[in-house]
Amino acid sequence: EAQVTQNPRYLITVTGKKLTVTCSQNMNHEYMSWYRQDPGLGLRQIYYSMNVEVTDKGDVPEGYKVSRKEKRNFPLILESPSPNQTSLYFCASSSLRDRGLETQYFGPGTRLLVL
Amino acid sequence: LAKTTQPISMDSYEGQEVNITCSHNNIATNDYITWYQQFPSQGPRFIIQGYKTKVTNEVASLFIPADRKSSTLSLPRVSLSDTAVYYCLVGGAAGNKLTFGGGTRVLVKP
């Protein structure tokens, strides 16, 4: 079954404690992306990756890191989480075509609470 | 960077047609327009995508005028299960950021 998986689905942590949210897709997609979703602000892109070892900043990259060492995985790293990073996070993947992206497939979301 | 604007919410009744317009004045030449549906606690799900003119699939139609500065998602004969938030997304040209609109909360009433 084609899917995007995220782990963990729920996480409570404390300020400053490094954490990683994993994202994996089984569709051989080139493009992967992380979004955060906050009430009243919709979905905002954090980072995206066009392919292995190619990453770029989205609209809200501050406080986050990503890596793309393998095509299927795109972990989101919070080196020193702060309460303003409490949010719902979505990973998405898509294939690339000549003129742009195909439709994005989204993961189920990771709800993060930073105390 | 293409910014998008959508109505915050709209109500409808079962069996009616719902039209949601998204404004994207700064759309780039290579940008596509994509609409997603999102239910609570779930990831967004693709509805339809277009570049210009009209696109239709089994669930919706997408109307894009010649200047591409706006687009309208049309949901024919909505049912209660169409109650959701609908997002307009502009972008997709290789290397571009993707910008979601703020979403339109559609409530379908019996």
Side-chain angles (χ1 to χ4, degrees):
Chain A
E1 179 190 353
Q3 61 181 354
V4 178
T5 57
Q6 297 178 226
N7 282 292
R9 295 288 314 278
Y10 304 91
L11 179 60
I12 301 174
T13 189
V14 295
T15 299
K17 186 176 182 181
K18 180 180 178 180
L19 66 91
T20 300
V21 184
T22 64
C23 174
S24 182
Q25 50 94 5
N26 62 0
M27 295 167 279
N28 201 36
H29 285 163
E30 298 88 357
Y31 185 96
M32 296 187 75
S33 181
W34 277 102
Y35 297 88
R36 62 177 289 172
Q37 186 170 36
D38 304 287
L41 296 176
L43 284 146
R44 295 179 292 168
Q45 192 176 45
I46 303 171
Y47 269 95
Y48 63 97
S49 169
M50 302 294 286
N51 215 323
V52 175
E53 302 293 0
V54 180
T55 63
D56 210 343
K57 297 177 180 179
D59 289 323
V60 289
E62 295 77 22
Y64 304 95
K65 286 175 58 178
V66 292
S67 69
R68 188 88 182 273
K69 294 184 171 58
E70 305 166 283
K71 197 171 186 180
R72 62 181 292 126
N73 296 322
F74 189 46
L76 179 69
I77 303 155
L78 285 71
E79 294 271 3
S80 182
S82 62
N84 65 12
Q85 292 179 297
T86 291
S87 187
L88 177 58
Y89 292 87
F90 288 102
C91 179
S93 75
S94 174
S95 67
L96 293 174
R97 59 185 172 192
D98 289 342
R99 296 181 64 187
L101 298 176
E102 296 285 347
T103 176
Q104 292 187 86
Y105 292 82
F106 282 81
T110 296
R111 192 169 293 278
L112 172 65
L113 172 61
V114 183
L115 301 173
Chain B
L1 183 63
K3 177 178 167 56
T4 60
T5 304
Q6 305 174 228
I8 293 174
S9 64
M10 55 176 54
D11 292 354
S12 183
Y13 291 92
E14 282 189 292
Q16 290 189 334
E17 178 181 80
V18 171
N19 296 305
I20 309 170
T21 296
C22 179
S23 298
H24 29 79
N25 291 320
N26 296 324
I27 189 169
T29 302
N30 292 334
D31 283 342
Y32 279 77
I33 300 155
T34 312
W35 284 81
Y36 288 84
Q37 176 192 56
Q38 186 180 27
F39 298 112
S41 300
Q42 294 185 22
R45 185 176 70 174
F46 172 84
I47 300 175
I48 197 166
Q49 184 180 70
Y51 183 77
K52 61 181 178 181
T53 64
K54 177 183 175 182
V55 179
T56 297
N57 62 21
E58 62 276 9
V59 298
S61 294
L62 179 60
F63 300 90
I64 305 169
D67 65 7
R68 302 200 331 121
K69 293 184 184 299
S70 67
S71 59
T72 298
L73 172 72
S74 180
L75 305 171
R77 298 180 298 282
V78 294
S79 63
L80 296 177
S81 62
D82 292 317
T83 291
V85 179
Y86 293 83
Y87 288 96
C88 163
L89 172 64
V90 172
N96 281 8
K97 297 178 189 178
L98 296 177
T99 303
F100 276 87
T104 298
R105 189 173 299 276
V106 172
L107 174 62
V108 180
K109 303 175 184 177

